[in-house]
Amino acid sequence: MYTNESIDQKIEEMIEKLRATQRKDGSWKYCFEGGLMTDAFMIITLRALDIKNEERLIQRLTDRIYSLQTSSGVWKAYSDEKSGNLSITIQAYCALLYSGYFTQEHPGLKKAEAFILKNGGLGNSHFLTKWMLAVNGLYPWPTLFYIPMTFLLIPPSFPLNFYQFSNYARIHFIPMMVAANKKYTIKSSYTPNLNHLIIRSSSANENWEHPFATRTNSSFTNEMNKLLRLPEYLHRLGYQKAESYMLKRLEDDGTLYSYASSTFFMIYALLSLGHKQSSPTVLNAINGLKHLISTNCEGIHLENSTSTVWDTALLSYALQEANVSSTSPMINKSVEYLLSMQHTKKGDWKIHNPNITPGGWGFSHNNTINPDNDDTSAALRALTRQARKEQKVRNAWYKGVAYLLSMQNADGGWAAFEKNTDFEMLTYLPLDNAEDAAIDPSTPDLTGRVLEFLGNYAGLTKTHPSVKAAINWLMENQEDNGSWYGRWGVCYIYGTWAAVTGLLAVGISPTSPAIKKAINWLESIQLNSGGWGESCASSEEKRYVPLSFSTPSQTSWALDALIQSRAFSKLSVQKGISHLINDSSFTEEGRTYPTGIGLPGQFYITYHSYNLLFPLLTLAHYQKRSYQVYLEKRSTF
């Protein structure tokens, strides 16, 4: 068991660890580990463009990729993934050959080859992987593939326009479509021959060989066919628009929208439009990618973006919840950093929300035009206490709150990045993960997190019109078993924690049917160890899939929801706290298991900050609630 003293000691240990790791600028920089796709694409791109003087980097990335291969010869997106992941295995196989340090006869690659062939070959891979293969001349472009770039010329005021896609779809689709339309390929002396992995008779190529622009089963397809018939000069203008779209969204470090993935695609798109490999834009993009390489990921890793703003905002907030003074040097420095990261420029979000002043925060240190609602609410939590005392902080806080409230969707919920980009028809496009990436709808995790901020830090309650609309949206989207699905964390535990704490913060009673149902569900999935663990497979199957082991972040989320719902004295909480404060109760697999989601089935995230961040936050809330219970008992004497 545990005592209040042992919890206090654990909290103090975590605080000291954070004090020691805070950087001079006030931020915390933890690894944002997103699988091997970016590492593989970096090797392929450096070799394809014949970039010199990067041999050491390529060798280190090669070593990391090979170290992640399982004994059966496959690569996985997460440890409990059944058999293996075809697309990730293809990415790794291809990158190792490009590196020049492996041949097809290597025993590890022979095992991978057998797995790839058994699962349908290159043609069965995810659209993103197949595109990377095609642009590098490793897989044939489909003959009929053509997406009319005139689509970009349609004004946003029209019922069907490009800005109805999510911003993360747009920033990836544009470069991908440009290169695909041009049927661009690039080869170098490092390019391997993968013809032995192409199964010509595969039926899984339907969406690749017969693109949606030629189909007649949707209004979107009909509109694409109309655009195909426009005059040639408008198509040329569409390509100019695509090029301008990308170049205007470059960050100072050369990356596109601060993402490695979109930057890779942009490089190939620019080459297809006639840019030279030696052009400043291409070289700056390569340099920007190199700056995303981290050595803090238990080895080397190319982060798809940094998570510096996210980590700093949440850690500063958690420290303050743990009674670190808002005027302490550690918090002062973090607040100054966050103030410097508040956005001042209008980004694409202005299309659907034109009349609001910029005031949000982005996810990464190099993100200046793509704020998101989760980071904005996280930063605002961290600023609240100082905003009550200092005018400069208060001004930034009010600007952020105004921005956040203005981003509420018409249905009452909040999305990740933009407002009202939830045109459901786009989810039926025959592209892999269209339902997850094509639009940016309201989600329970975002809506719950915003509500938690508005209730606990902005003083809004369930009587406020915006809050009332959000409550209604959450109530309508609760699962039959009492859980909520989280889009950006794994998965039902994450969504349920966010929704429950958000609803409680704005005044929904812990005894309400929705909260009681959610708490009963959380207790029903608690492991015998006292912890909680959910598989990444939940995001693919859209149902709760348990793990046989617990993870620190998921255990913390479940416990925090129970604690906030006044289930403080329940045995489930007592068991959970005992488990949480005992580091040895978590296995290595549990500590390293990804609990964030980028793209279900393909891209999962291990936030290296989470094993410290969320246990600290939950234990702080437990101690705070313990003290409240103590005062309540004293008042009855």
Side-chain angles (χ1 to χ4, degrees):
M1 278 298 290
Y2 60 88
T3 62
N4 284 337
E5 288 73 20
S6 63
I7 294 178
D8 286 340
Q9 182 179 351
K10 184 68 177 178
I11 288 173
E12 190 58 36
E13 287 174 5
M14 291 189 280
I15 291 172
E16 289 307 310
K17 187 175 292 187
L18 289 171
R19 197 187 312 276
T21 55
Q22 187 177 29
R23 302 200 300 179
K24 289 183 178 179
D25 65 0
S27 69
W28 281 275
K29 174 70 175 74
Y30 281 84
C31 176
F32 176 76
E33 186 178 353
L36 61 77
M37 180 188 77
T38 50
D39 299 330
F41 283 8
M42 188 64 167
I43 293 173
I44 294 169
T45 302
L46 290 174
R47 290 305 199 199
L49 274 62
D50 203 18
I51 303 293
K52 306 297 184 184
N53 303 318
E54 297 298 345
E55 205 59 41
R56 177 60 177 154
L57 171 59
I58 291 172
Q59 187 174 34
R60 295 176 71 190
L61 291 174
T62 299
D63 291 343
R64 179 178 192 269
I65 290 173
Y66 182 56
S67 73
L68 297 173
Q69 188 179 28
T70 68
S71 58
S72 62
V74 304
W75 281 264
K76 295 184 175 185
Y78 47 92
S79 60
D80 61 314
E81 187 175 31
K82 295 176 182 177
S83 67
N85 189 291
L86 177 62
S87 294
I88 294 173
T89 298
I90 290 171
Q91 293 165 12
Y93 178 91
C94 187
L96 293 180
L97 289 178
Y98 260 102
S99 74
Y101 297 107
F102 285 76
T103 69
Q104 292 179 4
E105 301 308 311
H106 186 279
L109 294 200
K110 293 301 288 185
K111 287 183 179 181
E113 178 184 304
F115 173 79
I116 294 168
L117 289 171
K118 181 181 177 181
N119 286 275
L122 304 183
N124 267 6
S125 62
H126 190 276
F127 178 79
L128 296 178
T129 301
K130 209 178 299 180
W131 183 94
M132 193 66 172
L133 294 171
V135 82
N136 281 286
L138 303 171
Y139 192 80
W141 287 114
T143 305
L144 299 176
F145 197 110
Y146 186 82
I147 310 302
M149 303 310 293
T150 45
F151 187 37
L152 303 183
L153 305 178
I154 300 174
S157 57
F158 277 51
L160 183 63
N161 66 83
F162 191 60
Y163 285 94
Q164 287 174 323
F165 281 97
S166 69
N167 71 343
Y168 42 90
R170 293 195 304 269
I171 207 63
H172 289 87
F173 282 178
I174 283 184
M176 293 179 80
M177 295 306 102
V178 167
N181 284 351
K182 298 285 187 179
K183 310 241 177 334
Y184 176 76
T185 60
I186 183 172
K187 290 189 175 184
S188 72
S189 59
Y190 290 95
T191 305
N193 187 328
L194 300 187
N195 287 341
H196 62 297
L197 298 180
I198 299 176
I199 300 176
R200 302 290 176 180
S201 60
S202 174
S203 60
N205 258 339
E206 182 72 12
N207 295 342
W208 183 254
E209 294 296 340
H210 303 284
F212 56 79
T214 66
R215 297 182 178 211
T216 57
N217 61 355
S218 73
S219 300
F220 183 85
T221 299
N222 293 335
E223 293 302 317
M224 291 297 103
N225 285 329
K226 292 177 185 177
L227 293 173
L228 282 169
R229 295 191 289 270
L230 290 174
E232 179 62 28
Y233 76 90
L234 287 177
H235 287 271
R236 288 195 296 270
L237 191 60
Y239 281 107
Q240 291 179 17
K241 179 75 171 180
E243 182 177 17
S244 174
Y245 185 93
M246 291 184 287
L247 296 179
K248 286 182 177 179
R249 286 157 182 80
L250 291 176
E251 292 289 0
D252 289 343
D253 65 354
T255 59
L256 179 60
Y257 240 44
S258 77
Y259 298 138
S261 51
S262 57
T263 304
F264 284 121
F265 300 150
M266 178 193 70
I267 289 170
Y268 291 99
L270 292 178
L271 293 175
S272 76
L273 290 171
H275 288 244
K276 302 297 183 184
Q277 295 180 28
S278 58
S279 74
T281 305
V282 171
L283 294 180
N284 285 341
I286 294 291
N287 199 45
L289 290 168
K290 287 163 59 178
H291 282 131
L292 291 176
I293 292 169
S294 172
T295 56
N296 296 323
C297 299
E298 298 179 1
I300 191 171
H301 175 54
L302 175 59
E303 298 174 299
N304 196 51
S305 69
T306 69
S307 57
T308 312
V309 176
W310 176 246
D311 288 335
T312 302
L314 287 176
L315 286 168
S316 179
Y317 148 66
L319 286 164
Q320 292 175 72
E321 288 292 278
N323 291 325
V324 175
S325 171
S326 62
T327 59
S328 70
M330 183 161 46
I331 301 303
N332 276 333
K333 287 165 63 179
S334 68
V335 166
E336 284 299 319
Y337 177 80
L338 291 171
L339 290 176
S340 73
M341 290 291 109
Q342 188 172 27
H343 288 196
T344 59
K345 295 184 288 188
K346 284 195 173 185
D348 284 351
W349 54 266
K350 71 179 184 294
I351 298 297
H352 298 289
N353 191 16
N355 299 318
I356 193 71
T357 301
W361 278 264
F363 183 73
S364 52
H365 77 284
N366 56 340
N367 179 336
T368 65
I369 55 175
N370 183 31
D372 67 87
N373 296 323
D374 224 357
D375 274 281
T376 298
S377 71
L380 289 169
R381 284 184 192 88
L383 298 182
T384 298
R385 289 173 174 87
Q386 283 206 12
R388 294 170 183 153
K389 305 170 185 175
E390 297 185 26
Q391 187 64 46
K392 181 177 74 169
V393 183
R394 188 179 305 123
N395 291 341
W397 189 89
Y398 276 120
K399 191 179 293 186
V401 172
Y403 173 83
L404 187 62
L405 284 169
S406 77
M407 293 298 289
Q408 187 172 23
N409 284 335
D411 62 13
W414 271 268
F417 294 96
E418 293 184 359
K419 182 177 181 176
N420 297 332
T421 49
D422 54 359
F423 192 44
E424 187 178 1
M425 187 173 72
L426 297 178
T427 66
Y428 296 103
L429 296 177
L431 293 172
D432 299 322
N433 287 108
E435 71 278 12
D436 299 302
I439 61 174
D440 185 17
S442 298
T443 65
D445 44 335
L446 265 297
T447 304
R449 298 299 292 145
V450 172
L451 277 186
E452 193 276 338
F453 163 73
L454 293 176
N456 285 336
Y457 296 90
L460 302 190
T461 69
K462 60 186 179 181
T463 61
H464 188 281
S466 297
V467 170
K468 188 181 297 184
I471 291 170
N472 290 340
W473 187 88
L474 278 174
M475 295 299 189
E476 290 168 4
N477 285 275
Q478 187 175 24
E479 303 287 333
D480 289 341
N481 63 8
S483 67
W484 280 271
Y485 176 75
R487 165 63 180 87
W488 300 99
V490 181
C491 232
Y492 290 93
I493 295 176
Y494 184 70
T496 304
W497 162 68
V500 166
T501 55
L503 290 169
L504 292 171
V506 294
I508 298 300
S509 171
T511 61
S512 69
I515 299 296
K516 289 174 66 176
K517 196 173 183 181
I519 295 306
N520 288 339
W521 178 78
L522 284 172
E523 289 186 302
S524 75
I525 62 167
Q526 187 175 21
L527 300 174
N528 290 333
S529 65
W532 279 261
E534 180 176 0
S535 173
C536 293
S538 292
S539 67
E540 300 168 52
E541 300 183 27
K542 296 299 185 286
R543 66 177 182 86
Y544 171 71
V545 179
L547 287 173
S548 61
F549 53 87
S550 62
T551 74
S553 55
Q554 290 169 332
T555 298
S556 299
W557 296 334
L559 277 172
D560 197 36
L562 292 169
I563 292 164
Q564 302 299 334
S565 68
R566 297 182 181 272
F568 177 84
S569 59
K570 282 193 171 185
L571 179 61
S572 57
V573 174
Q574 307 309 309
K575 286 177 62 180
I577 293 294
S578 293
H579 185 72
L580 189 62
I581 66 171
N582 181 8
D583 290 338
S584 63
S585 65
F586 293 99
T587 64
E588 181 64 21
E589 189 176 12
R591 285 191 292 270
T592 59
Y593 192 83
T595 56
I597 303 173
L599 196 62
Q602 299 298 315
F603 192 83
Y604 295 94
I605 301 157
T606 302
Y607 290 89
H608 285 225
S609 63
Y610 278 17
N611 289 349
L612 188 61
L613 160 62
F614 286 111
L616 172 61
L617 184 65
T618 296
L619 292 176
H621 286 165
Y622 180 81
Q623 289 295 70
K624 184 179 294 185
R625 182 61 187 147
S626 177
Y627 185 63
Q628 290 172 347
V629 169
Y630 168 74
L631 292 179
E632 289 170 2
K633 287 181 178 179
R634 281 195 62 181
S635 67
T636 62
F637 294 151

